[in-house]
Amino acid sequence: MDKYDKIVDLAKRRGFFWPSSEIYGGVAGFLDFGPMGTLLKRNVERRWREAFIHRHHGLVYEVETPVVMPSRVFEASGHVDHFTDVVVECLSCHKRFRADHVILEQAGDIQGIEGMTTEQLDATIKEKGVRCSECGGKLGKVTTFNLLFRTSIGPYSENVAYMRPEAAQGMFVNFKNIYTTMRERLPMGLAQIGKVLRNEISPRQGPIRLREFTIMEIEFFFDPESPNCELLGEVGDKKLRLLTEDLVAAGKTDPKEVTVEEAVKKKMILSEWQAYFMALSTDFVSGLGAPHDSQMFVAKLASERAHYSAQTFDQVVKLDRWGWVEVSGHAYRTAYDVSRHQQFSAQDLSVFKKFEKPQKEKALVARPKVSVISAECKSDTGRVLAAIKGSGAKGLMELLRSGSTVINGVTVRPGYVEFIEEEQTIAGRRFVPHVAEPSFGADRLTYLAMECAYTEKEKRIVLRLPRSVAPVQVSVFPLVNKDGIRENALEIQNLIRADGFLSDFDDAGSIGRRYARSDEIGAPLAITVDYQTLQDGTVTVRDRDTWEQSRISVKDLTGYLREYYRR
Amino acid sequence: MDKYDKIVDLAKRRGFFWPSSEIYGGVAGFLDFGPMGTLLKRNVERRWREAFIHRHHGLVYEVETPVVMPSRVFEASGHVDHFTDVVVECLSCHKRFRADHVILEQAGDIQGIEGMTTEQLDATIKEKGVRCSECGGKLGKVTTFNLLFRTSIGPYSENVAYMRPEAAQGMFVNFKNIYTTMRERLPMGLAQIGKVLRNEISPRQGPIRLREFTIMEIEFFFDPESPNCELLGEVGDKKLRLLTEDLVAAGKTDPKEVTVEEAVKKKMILSEWQAYFMALSTDFVSGLGAPHDSQMFVAKLASERAHYSAQTFDQVVKLDRWGWVEVSGHAYRTAYDVSRHQQFSAQDLSVFKKFEKPQKEKALVARPKVSVISAECKSDTGRVLAAIKGSGAKGLMELLRSGSTVINGVTVRPGYVEFIEEEQTIAGRRFVPHVAEPSFGADRLTYLAMECAYTEKEKRIVLRLPRSVAPVQVSVFPLVNKDGIRENALEIQNLIRADGFLSDFDDAGSIGRRYARSDEIGAPLAITVDYQTLQDGTVTVRDRDTWEQSRISVKDLTGYLREYYRR
């Protein structure tokens, strides 16, 4: 058993996670979280909320939008056209595979396979003699498969809708509205923690590749002409391990370690806000237990990037079985999404920024020569004047350069207009904000925390989860279930609970077995109530990692826990 | 404008909620929550988690299961067959309506309409002359419409799946597994907070009737032979306002007010655990601001109950426009769901409960008279003995009462068997647990909290949300943005934030306008930093409800807030 198998085994046995609908044979790509897993995942989400939302209140706001959104949203976002994988079907057994995966499995690494067209993949299958990995049959033509889960809303099946593959679109369609409500300030981030679905063709990596998972995402809107991050100073000297586009293109796998400041100065990261969030992400993932040197940010090549991104870094962490696995994505989405929704909805989603003081600006103006026009056009004069007024000065000058032109049914001659440069007063400027997006998978991070915490000690499993994410904070054991010891232990549990600590009461089996169980769920501390407790009011507190025990007075217990958990 | 319209208006203007995908014209039954609404909803969820899960840790566990589940799950649960509404289409304009709604709208109240068959509804439409409410056209035949949102998993469209209409099934399919993991103890509750979807035919009540909403649900499993709730004493003298089945059937609308103890003793509530949760629910809903006398529990008549329920109470709260609206449902689901999954999955989902000591039990035993059989049946003797052994003693006795019978191709005569009562030793008993289910809608409750808090004072809106659910705890205002006052205010905000309080910094517009804004989002306190702050280190603290102001020293501020928020 490798580490992955051991964790999956532990996860099932101790109530962390397992395949969904298991009594019906399980469903690939869906996971159920049990009591311990749910507590752990909630803690991962809480830490993210603290790190990315709460500390930025007034700058970043959490919102909540539906999982199901109408087709139009994903037509605008480009997902209906572009959110596809390549699929190929066996002509004999009719099993379907992800085309690139089946090729890689059988033909080994092939450069640039991520960017290949279906025709190129067909050719590669032929050239390499790739066949069905189930039955060895001949493979059909490669086609594309849209990864959106499809449904329809209401009693009319033609009202197509999709389950969102990212929380982002719910924030883009609401940007303008919330911008207005929250007093028209930029930069402004919108954040969301919620379920998303991607209909993967054949996911086989348990918690690493899910069809339904929880995303934690920020869309951070800023003025592209004021792209500076005012908080960059707070993280300027933090270290990032970067595998830049250059290095990736050159086939390198060792990242450069640079400070955030340097990465921004040398334009390795295009957006300062993106750099800021990458620094926070490093701290966040470290806080879940991943060592700094098993993390890095890998740039996506242009051919691999999503259709909306000008620069993307994947934050990857090295896992025992799966190698470097993406735990967050950092995309510089520019003005793409809001512009698209502006176009598809025909709503003005741009923002207006007043200049500190109105600015003078030279502008080309088309001034009609009214006397010439009225002399020549007579009763059409009004229509000609309207035609001139209704045209942009620049475009009209261009048109008239090659002679007369017809606008709205009337002829406009070059002699009707004079073009002059005029100084105008401009109050501000209208633009669509740019967006930096950090986006995390909560389920993968939950698994990651478990793998990073997994250790064995004297042939037993100890899950050394960081104190702030451990599902249970204290285990409470009565040494025996008689002589009032059980009641005493329950009272102590109530005391701890009243102070806001989550404790697990366990009175079954030997103390040794109970310690082992407590270590397996990663409870940092275990308290045992025994006969001495009845005499002197002290309990044994045992440390999960050192297995050391000390006696602490019950009356000092909550103070001890507060100190231990830094509350 | 009635209260509902006023709240919807406020909700949009201040970032609470609004129709989803509004830039595309909105989608009925889907809501977007903005910055304030999301904070409020998270607080509603947090309070529920505290009241129903955290205080019961060790007894109730939170779990998380997917929104999308395979078809088989909902075949077993009965939703594929029974989770339907009645729909009717206009033959002219082809608009579709919920049949019972369109009838009620045009023909007024009709007793028993909830239980009518499609044929009965057809007859009612004819009799009452009900027509299309859009175009006045003739209506077609009433049909049923399944409310499950349908999709498919993976690249094969035949893998039908549905979005869950309740979180419950994810807990039923996992019951046995988690029961085993959590040391085989009953009672045990599983809880879940998550998205569910119901494809309502034409929802028109904003946050009150949604197609996608957040459910907060417990499935509480207990031994039907030990149905007592050990926590009932804690709530025994709490008052419940009950409209029992008798009262409902008699057309009464005034509830009886009884203590929880009385309701259980008089069998008004069948399950003690259900009664316990109903008591918690009353406190919970009161804590969101609903007065006790605008709440009650209404029993569902047998004809109105869901297919799985032996008794159901809806907790309803009186709203200004919508009248009595359900905010939670309390169903006694008995062993229905787990039994159905046991049947459909062919897995043993029952639990085994060992008796304290093995019990002697009298049982009917069929003892074959071997000498008689071998004499008569010769070479068939073995088959006859097997037939007798394979039959239950009780059933066999029944069969033989009316003479000989044929079992598996051999004839068994009454003279072949003698029936005796034998004492047997039984170690324990195997059973499928019963389930009590409290189930809440978080979105409706979020709206409810707003409606209960809505007041007007001197023509301004004041949202008097309870302290523990208000989205923002403190507003912070610099009196002016100069002379270091803004910086001072920002420092105070940091101080408050470091102590875990959520504060909203507002430096735009007059102080009066800022107070008004703060009252509209329901911030209980507002702090103003002014010139006096620079001199004596005090700030103005203003109370949302009384509008009274007092001066408090900055160094006492966090202590003051802790006291105010009882932390």
Side-chain angles (χ1 to χ4, degrees):
Chain A
M1 287 220 288
D2 67 2
K3 221 176 195 179
Y4 175 76
D5 281 335
K6 284 178 178 175
I7 288 166
V8 166
D9 180 70
L10 174 71
K12 174 76 192 289
R13 192 157 43 80
R14 285 287 167 235
F16 284 88
F17 62 80
W18 52 86
S20 189
S21 297
E22 225 179 10
I23 61 168
Y24 292 105
V27 196
F30 292 86
L31 224 55
D32 287 347
F33 287 89
M36 292 303 130
T38 304
L39 285 166
L40 178 58
K41 190 174 166 186
R42 285 297 95 80
N43 285 340
V44 169
E45 291 167 5
R46 179 180 47 73
R47 285 204 56 149
W48 191 84
R49 211 175 243 124
E50 285 163 5
F52 288 89
I53 307 180
H54 286 176
R55 70 187 279 185
H56 298 121
H57 180 78
L59 182 66
V60 178
Y61 300 106
E62 186 174 347
V63 300
E64 187 185 301
T65 66
V67 173
V68 170
M69 297 185 86
S71 178
R72 197 77 182 141
V73 170
F74 299 107
E75 288 162 28
S77 71
H79 285 90
V80 168
D81 288 337
H82 303 301
F83 193 60
T84 55
D85 266 346
V86 279
V87 66
V88 66
E89 182 172 317
C90 169
L91 296 175
S92 307
C93 74
H94 300 285
K95 200 169 150 53
R96 294 176 200 170
F97 305 91
R98 222 179 106 166
D100 48 344
H101 286 185
V102 75
I103 293 173
L104 290 176
E105 267 169 36
Q106 295 180 35
D109 202 23
I110 291 176
Q111 270 294 76
I113 193 165
E114 268 198 67
M116 280 190 186
T117 63
T118 52
E119 291 77 17
Q120 288 169 322
L121 290 165
D122 278 332
T124 311
I125 285 174
K126 207 168 172 190
E127 185 193 320
K128 304 277 182 183
V130 177
R131 303 187 64 95
C132 173
S133 27
E134 289 288 310
C135 77
K138 200 162 178 282
L139 295 173
K141 278 217 169 300
V142 174
T143 54
T144 56
F145 173 73
N146 194 295
L147 301 183
L148 294 170
F149 277 96
R150 185 187 162 106
T151 190
S152 59
I153 298 176
Y156 310 95
S157 56
E158 61 272 27
N159 283 344
V160 172
Y162 297 99
M163 289 179 241
R164 61 182 182 186
E166 54 175 12
Q169 299 308 322
M171 305 193 259
F172 292 130
V173 298
N174 279 309
F175 158 71
K176 180 65 179 290
N177 171 19
I178 297 176
Y179 168 78
T180 308
T181 303
M182 302 316 280
R183 292 166 245 159
E184 307 197 337
R185 288 186 295 199
L186 279 187
M188 175 185 84
L190 297 181
Q192 197 165 179
I193 299 180
K195 287 295 188 83
V196 298
L197 290 103
R198 300 176 181 182
N199 202 2
E200 304 282 349
I201 291 166
S202 52
R204 276 173 298 182
Q205 295 164 286
I208 305 301
R209 187 163 295 275
L210 291 171
R211 284 171 164 149
E212 177 175 332
F213 62 98
T214 299
I215 216 164
M216 308 188 288
E217 204 160 64
I218 295 180
E219 304 307 319
F220 194 84
F221 301 87
F222 62 92
D223 178 353
E225 292 192 12
S226 309
N228 296 352
C229 167
E230 69 230 41
L231 302 171
L232 202 68
E234 291 180 16
V235 299
D237 49 12
K238 290 208 183 271
K239 293 273 182 19
L240 296 176
R241 289 159 48 85
L242 294 184
L243 203 62
T244 56
E245 238 174 291
D246 293 352
L247 292 173
V248 173
K252 297 283 196 283
T253 53
D254 274 341
K256 260 187 228 163
E257 187 156 314
V258 292
T259 64
V260 173
E261 206 187 337
E262 203 182 336
V264 166
K265 201 178 284 169
K266 293 191 175 160
K267 305 273 179 215
M268 298 162 93
I269 305 174
L270 296 179
S271 153
E272 283 195 6
W273 283 104
Q274 189 169 340
Y276 173 69
F277 288 123
M278 285 164 71
L280 294 193
S281 303
T282 304
D283 281 355
F284 171 65
V285 170
S286 299
L288 300 181
H292 193 255
D293 58 5
S294 73
Q295 299 179 39
M296 63 173 165
F297 291 93
V298 180
K300 289 279 205 188
L301 296 175
S303 64
E304 302 168 340
R305 281 200 298 265
H307 55 276
Y308 48 71
S309 175
Q311 183 180 45
T312 299
F313 282 98
D314 283 351
Q315 182 181 22
V316 297
V317 177
K318 191 157 196 177
L319 294 183
D320 187 62
R321 178 188 290 190
W322 308 109
W324 291 98
V325 163
E326 179 191 351
V327 293
S328 76
H330 297 261
Y332 180 21
R333 298 179 79 135
T334 67
Y336 175 83
D337 300 271
V338 176
S339 300
R340 291 276 293 187
H341 286 298
Q342 180 161 268
Q343 185 188 331
F344 276 67
S345 69
Q347 304 278 323
D348 178 10
L349 304 182
S350 68
V351 306
F352 180 75
K353 196 167 179 181
K354 244 173 129 167
F355 296 132
E356 298 257 325
K357 42 184 173 185
Q359 291 185 3
K360 303 280 181 197
E361 202 174 75
K362 286 210 169 147
L364 190 74
V365 175
R367 186 170 291 170
K369 297 180 178 168
V370 182
S371 55
V372 179
I373 299 171
S374 67
E376 285 196 18
C377 305
K378 310 273 153 54
S379 65
D380 268 349
T381 300
R383 291 178 63 202
V384 172
L385 290 174
I388 291 168
K389 212 177 158 194
S391 307
K394 243 186 195 157
L396 188 61
M397 187 162 76
E398 207 60 52
L399 279 171
L400 296 179
R401 200 160 277 164
S402 46
S404 297
T405 186
V406 174
I407 300 171
N408 291 338
V410 292
T411 301
V412 179
R413 288 207 301 105
Y416 290 180
V417 200
E418 69 178 331
F419 291 95
I420 53 169
E421 286 233 310
E422 223 179 51
E423 204 171 59
Q424 294 186 320
T425 304
I426 300 176
R429 120 194 115 75
R430 194 159 273 295
F431 62 93
V432 171
H434 275 210
V435 170
E437 174 199 77
S439 173
F440 296 75
D443 310 75
R444 242 181 227 194
L445 288 167
T446 302
Y447 172 81
L448 171 79
M450 287 183 74
E451 182 170 313
C452 293
Y454 185 94
T455 54
E456 289 174 11
K457 185 170 178 176
E458 297 176 16
K459 291 192 178 162
R460 281 162 41 177
I461 297 169
V462 180
L463 206 57
R464 294 189 170 167
L465 290 166
R467 295 175 190 186
S468 66
V469 296
V472 163
Q473 284 150 355
V474 196
S475 297
V476 177
F477 310 146
L479 182 71
V480 291
N481 285 320
K482 56 183 182 181
D483 302 330
I485 285 179
R486 189 167 188 279
E487 290 69 23
N488 204 313
L490 281 170
E491 251 173 57
I492 288 170
Q493 192 198 20
N494 283 337
L495 192 78
I496 295 170
R497 178 183 288 166
D499 221 40
F501 295 99
L502 207 102
S503 65
D504 213 22
F505 188 85
D506 190 356
D507 60 359
S510 72
I511 283 286
R513 276 186 57 191
R514 287 185 258 171
Y515 278 142
R517 209 145 53 192
S518 179
D519 287 344
E520 287 195 344
I521 62 169
L525 299 173
I527 291 172
T528 303
V529 176
D530 53 19
Y531 286 101
Q532 196 181 329
T533 311
L534 302 182
Q535 285 163 15
D536 65 5
T538 64
V539 292
T540 300
V541 177
R542 176 211 182 246
D543 183 275
R544 174 194 69 195
D545 302 330
T546 62
W547 292 1
E548 272 168 21
Q549 306 190 357
S550 51
R551 300 244 11 139
I552 287 174
S553 172
V554 171
K555 66 177 173 10
D556 300 333
L557 201 54
T558 58
Y560 177 84
L561 292 177
R562 277 166 183 261
E563 176 68 24
Y564 185 87
Y565 285 108
R566 290 212 190 97
R567 287 238 182 118
Chain B
M1 286 218 289
D2 67 0
K3 222 174 193 182
Y4 175 75
D5 280 335
K6 284 177 178 174
I7 289 165
V8 165
D9 180 71
L10 175 71
K12 174 76 190 291
R13 193 157 42 81
R14 286 288 166 234
F16 284 88
F17 62 80
W18 52 86
S20 190
S21 297
E22 226 180 10
I23 61 168
Y24 292 106
V27 197
F30 293 85
L31 224 54
D32 288 347
F33 287 89
M36 293 304 130
T38 304
L39 285 166
L40 178 57
K41 190 174 166 186
R42 285 297 95 79
N43 285 341
V44 169
E45 291 167 5
R46 179 182 47 73
R47 284 205 58 150
W48 190 85
R49 210 175 243 124
E50 285 164 5
F52 289 89
I53 307 179
H54 287 174
R55 70 185 281 185
H56 299 121
H57 183 79
L59 181 66
V60 177
Y61 300 107
E62 186 176 347
V63 300
E64 186 185 303
T65 66
V67 173
V68 171
M69 297 186 87
S71 178
R72 196 78 182 140
V73 170
F74 299 107
E75 289 161 29
S77 71
H79 284 90
V80 168
D81 289 337
H82 302 300
F83 193 59
T84 54
D85 268 346
V86 278
V87 67
V88 66
E89 183 174 316
C90 169
L91 297 174
S92 307
C93 74
H94 299 288
K95 203 169 149 50
R96 294 178 199 168
F97 304 91
R98 224 180 106 167
D100 48 345
H101 286 184
V102 76
I103 294 173
L104 289 176
E105 267 168 36
Q106 296 180 33
D109 202 23
I110 292 176
Q111 270 292 76
I113 194 166
E114 269 199 66
M116 281 191 186
T117 62
T118 53
E119 291 77 16
Q120 289 170 320
L121 290 166
D122 278 332
T124 310
I125 285 174
K126 208 169 168 188
E127 184 193 321
K128 303 277 180 184
V130 177
R131 305 187 64 95
C132 173
S133 30
E134 290 285 312
C135 77
K138 198 162 180 282
L139 295 173
K141 276 215 169 303
V142 174
T143 55
T144 56
F145 174 72
N146 194 294
L147 301 183
L148 294 170
F149 276 95
R150 184 188 164 108
T151 190
S152 59
I153 298 175
Y156 309 94
S157 56
E158 59 273 26
N159 283 343
V160 172
Y162 297 99
M163 289 179 242
R164 61 181 182 187
E166 53 175 12
Q169 299 308 322
M171 305 194 257
F172 292 129
V173 299
N174 280 310
F175 158 72
K176 182 66 179 289
N177 171 20
I178 297 175
Y179 168 78
T180 308
T181 303
M182 302 317 280
R183 291 164 245 160
E184 306 196 339
R185 288 187 295 200
L186 278 188
M188 175 185 84
L190 298 181
Q192 196 164 179
I193 299 180
K195 288 295 189 86
V196 299
L197 290 101
R198 299 176 182 182
N199 202 2
E200 303 282 349
I201 291 166
S202 53
R204 277 172 298 181
Q205 296 164 285
I208 306 300
R209 187 163 296 274
L210 291 170
R211 283 171 165 148
E212 177 174 333
F213 61 98
T214 299
I215 215 163
M216 308 189 289
E217 205 161 64
I218 294 181
E219 304 307 320
F220 195 84
F221 302 87
F222 61 92
D223 178 353
E225 293 193 12
S226 309
N228 295 354
C229 166
E230 70 232 39
L231 302 172
L232 201 67
E234 292 181 14
V235 298
D237 49 13
K238 288 205 185 274
K239 293 272 181 19
L240 296 176
R241 288 160 48 85
L242 293 184
L243 202 63
T244 57
E245 238 174 290
D246 293 351
L247 292 174
V248 174
K252 299 280 194 287
T253 53
D254 273 340
K256 259 188 227 162
E257 187 156 314
V258 292
T259 65
V260 173
E261 207 187 333
E262 205 183 332
V264 165
K265 202 179 283 169
K266 294 192 176 159
K267 304 275 179 214
M268 299 161 93
I269 305 174
L270 296 179
S271 154
E272 285 195 7
W273 283 103
Q274 189 169 339
Y276 172 70
F277 288 124
M278 284 164 71
L280 294 193
S281 303
T282 303
D283 281 354
F284 171 65
V285 170
S286 299
L288 299 181
H292 192 256
D293 58 6
S294 73
Q295 299 180 38
M296 63 174 166
F297 290 92
V298 181
K300 288 279 206 188
L301 296 176
S303 63
E304 302 168 339
R305 281 199 299 264
H307 55 274
Y308 47 70
S309 175
Q311 183 180 45
T312 300
F313 283 97
D314 283 350
Q315 183 182 21
V316 296
V317 178
K318 190 155 196 179
L319 294 183
D320 186 63
R321 178 187 292 189
W322 308 110
W324 291 98
V325 163
E326 180 191 352
V327 294
S328 77
H330 299 260
Y332 180 21
R333 298 180 76 135
T334 68
Y336 176 83
D337 300 271
V338 175
S339 300
R340 291 276 293 188
H341 286 299
Q342 180 161 269
Q343 184 189 332
F344 276 67
S345 69
Q347 304 279 323
D348 178 10
L349 304 183
S350 68
V351 306
F352 180 76
K353 194 165 177 183
K354 243 175 129 166
F355 296 132
E356 299 258 325
K357 42 185 176 183
Q359 291 186 1
K360 305 280 182 196
E361 203 174 72
K362 287 214 165 143
L364 191 74
V365 176
R367 187 170 293 170
K369 298 181 178 167
V370 183
S371 56
V372 179
I373 298 169
S374 66
E376 284 194 18
C377 305
K378 309 273 150 61
S379 65
D380 268 348
T381 300
R383 290 178 65 203
V384 172
L385 289 174
I388 292 167
K389 212 176 160 192
S391 307
K394 243 184 196 158
L396 188 61
M397 187 162 76
E398 206 60 46
L399 279 172
L400 295 179
R401 200 158 278 168
S402 46
S404 298
T405 187
V406 176
I407 299 171
N408 290 338
V410 293
T411 300
V412 179
R413 286 207 305 109
Y416 290 181
V417 200
E418 68 177 331
F419 292 95
I420 51 169
E421 287 234 313
E422 220 177 53
E423 202 170 59
Q424 294 185 319
T425 304
I426 300 175
R429 117 195 117 76
R430 194 160 273 294
F431 62 95
V432 172
H434 276 210
V435 171
E437 174 199 76
S439 174
F440 296 75
D443 310 74
R444 243 182 227 194
L445 288 167
T446 302
Y447 172 80
L448 171 78
M450 287 183 74
E451 183 170 311
C452 294
Y454 186 92
T455 52
E456 290 175 12
K457 184 170 179 176
E458 297 176 16
K459 290 191 180 164
R460 281 161 43 177
I461 298 170
V462 181
L463 206 58
R464 293 187 171 169
L465 290 166
R467 295 176 190 189
S468 66
V469 296
V472 163
Q473 286 150 353
V474 196
S475 297
V476 177
F477 309 145
L479 182 71
V480 291
N481 285 319
K482 57 184 181 179
D483 302 329
I485 285 178
R486 188 168 190 279
E487 291 67 25
N488 203 312
L490 281 169
E491 253 173 55
I492 288 170
Q493 193 198 20
N494 283 337
L495 191 80
I496 295 171
R497 178 184 288 165
D499 221 40
F501 296 99
L502 206 102
S503 64
D504 214 22
F505 188 85
D506 189 356
D507 60 358
S510 72
I511 282 289
R513 278 186 55 190
R514 285 185 257 170
Y515 278 142
R517 207 143 57 194
S518 180
D519 288 343
E520 287 195 345
I521 62 169
L525 299 174
I527 291 172
T528 303
V529 177
D530 53 20
Y531 285 100
Q532 195 182 330
T533 312
L534 304 182
Q535 284 164 14
D536 66 4
T538 65
V539 292
T540 299
V541 177
R542 174 202 179 257
D543 184 275
R544 174 194 68 196
D545 302 332
T546 61
W547 291 2
E548 271 168 23
Q549 306 190 356
S550 50
R551 303 255 351 152
I552 288 172
S553 173
V554 172
K555 64 176 178 4
D556 300 332
L557 201 53
T558 57
Y560 177 84
L561 292 178
R562 277 168 183 261
E563 176 67 23
Y564 185 88
Y565 285 108
R566 292 214 188 97
R567 288 243 181 112

